[in-house]
Amino acid sequence: MTVADKLKNSQKPLFSFELLPPLKGNHIQAIYNTIDPLLEFDPAYINVTYHREEVVYKELKNGLIEKRTIRKRPGTVGIAAAIKYKYKIDVIPHIICAGFDKEETENALIDLHFLEIDNILVLRGDPDKSTGKFMPEPNGHSYAIDLLRQIMNMNKGIYLDEDLKNITPTHFSAGVAGYPEKHPEAPNLETDIMFLKQKIDEGAEYIVTQMFFDNNHYFNFVSKCREMGITVPIVPGIKPISNKTHLTQLPKTFSIDLPQDLVKEVIRCNSNSDVKKVGIEWAINQCKELIQNGVPSIHFYTMGLSDNIAEIAKNIY
Ligand code: FAD
């Protein structure tokens, strides 16, 4: 059963979460340490993010500065396979346009196909940090929908080289991203949802949302999506605040608003362990309301922390 089928047929809200590959050089044990405390809540699937390469400037011993392009968090496909086979839990690696040409994308998808990893989340990828702009690779994709078309073609047995014979079709089931507070580059929410609808029409089977801290954004987003003819499951993404820097970092990184009541409570905290408690309480209330409103699943952004997610899960599942 694909994750999309699980979402469509679930009788109760599913539990799932997202992991980031560890920084280059770190052990995969860090991933297992994040997963282990969450196993008791029976995760229906685990997402693994993909991180594009970054430009860094390294000062050399002779005082010169060297420009280097590095991938700080490689290993998405390997981690997804390791989780799938160690825990027998469905995995959803993220596949991005950023930093890939179509040939590299095809080869990465063939790796996933051979590993029998058929669930994927299809994304454009973050802009380049040094320029703040998204630039497709030469012969790469500009939007998530273009990448999705390539994947849907592979499912029909259409690969890039039209001369290939005896092609094995792939069986990918794709989800895509949605933004209750709109994507930062979109002129307005309606236009953003119009493009989202195109991704669904192209074959995406569910939507996972950007984090939000006010459920009204999610409810408004879902009702606009339904009005515009999107019928697939829309999974809310929840991130518990866990330190004071989140007050500025999350809005800046994800183009989201933090409700004033939450901000006031965090400002009042004397330590980050107090902030963590506030974040857990806020997320529990959000999740309870979402569940009352019949969401198919709740997807947690761990960012490497699982103790707070476990505390929330204990209160809602
Ligand atoms: P797109 O669907 O391509 O949309 C990008 C922008 O272009 C939007 O403003 C949209 O309205 C507009 N648009 C879409 N289609 C068209 C079109 N045909 N013509 C004109 N405009 C169009 N980033 C990573 O790098 N790695 C990850 O692992 C990752 N995981 C994520 C998981 C989730 C659940 C979410 C919500 C985001 C994630 N991101 C990740 C961030 C994401 O890559 C960025 O938000 C990116 O800027 C947009 O990705 P997208 O797939 O929504 O893009």
Side-chain angles (χ1 to χ4, degrees), residues 1-2 59-60 227-229 245 276 302 307:
M1 192 191 278
T2 63
E59 187 167 353
L60 303 177
E227 273 166 31
M228 291 173 75
T245 56
K276 218 169 179 182
T302 65
D307 56 338

Side-chain angles (χ1 to χ4, degrees), residues 140-151:
H141 295 299
S142 299
Y143 295 105
I145 192 167
D146 305 319
L147 172 55
L148 188 65
R149 284 191 186 117
Q150 180 177 4
I151 295 164

Side-chain angles (χ1 to χ4, degrees), residues 4 29 39 68-69 76 95 99 215 217 225 231 248 259-260 282 284 290 292 296 298:
Q29 189 59 43
L39 289 176
R68 290 187 192 166
T69 303
T76 300
I95 296 293
N215 285 350
H217 290 306
C225 285
T231 56
T248 48
Q260 182 62 358
W282 190 272
I284 290 172
L290 289 167
Q292 275 163 13
I298 299 186

Side-chain angles (χ1 to χ4, degrees), residues 96-98 100 102 123-125 134-147 185:
I96 58 175
C97 310
F100 287 94
K102 292 175 195 168
L123 302 140
R124 188 193 68 178
F134 178 84
M135 287 289 292
E137 290 301 299
N139 197 31
H141 295 299
S142 299
Y143 295 105
I145 192 167
D146 305 319
L147 172 55
E185 293 158 37

Side-chain angles (χ1 to χ4, degrees), residues 49-50 94 123-126 143-144 179 183 186 192 195 199 301:
T49 55
Y50 213 115
H94 296 187
L123 302 140
R124 188 193 68 178
D126 288 324
Y143 295 105
Y179 303 83
H183 184 263
D192 207 19
F195 287 125
K199 291 191 277 189
Y301 292 106

